[in-house]
């Protein structure tokens, strides 16, 4: 679950940034609410257990499988 969360959060931020880049200045207007998607992606990436905690859980899980 930690790996899925890391990948999903990274993909959401990357996708929103790419979308904003494509829309240019229009992305910051209310006509194209791209900036809201980027802000939501940032919030989702920082909510609850941060990326470092998910990374630690993933590392512990991988160590347990290897050992």
């Amino acid at each position: 679950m930690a790996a899925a969360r890391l990948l999903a959060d990274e993909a959401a931020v990357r996708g929103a940034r790419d979308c904003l880049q494509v829309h240019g200045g229009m992305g910051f207007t209310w006509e194209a609410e791209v900036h809201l998607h980027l802000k939501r992606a940032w919030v989702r990436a920082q909510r609850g257990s941060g990326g470092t905690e998910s990374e630690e859980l993933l590392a512990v899980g991988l160590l347990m499988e290897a050992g």
Side-chain angles (χ1 to χ4, degrees):
M1 180 147 145
R5 176 161 196 257
L6 283 172
L7 290 174
D9 287 344
E10 289 176 18
V13 171
R14 190 176 309 120
R17 283 184 180 164
D18 289 347
C19 186
L20 187 61
Q21 185 72 27
V22 168
H23 280 83
M26 283 286 297
F28 283 101
T29 67
W30 290 107
E31 293 176 30
E33 299 174 347
V34 177
H35 62 286
L36 296 178
H37 295 291
L38 181 57
K39 290 174 186 175
R40 287 182 191 131
W42 283 336
V43 169
R44 290 181 61 90
Q46 297 300 320
R47 77 182 189 288
S49 61
T52 54
E53 186 175 331
S54 293
E55 291 167 352
E56 290 296 325
L57 289 172
L58 179 60
V60 168
L62 290 173
L63 284 173
M64 293 179 86
E65 287 180 13

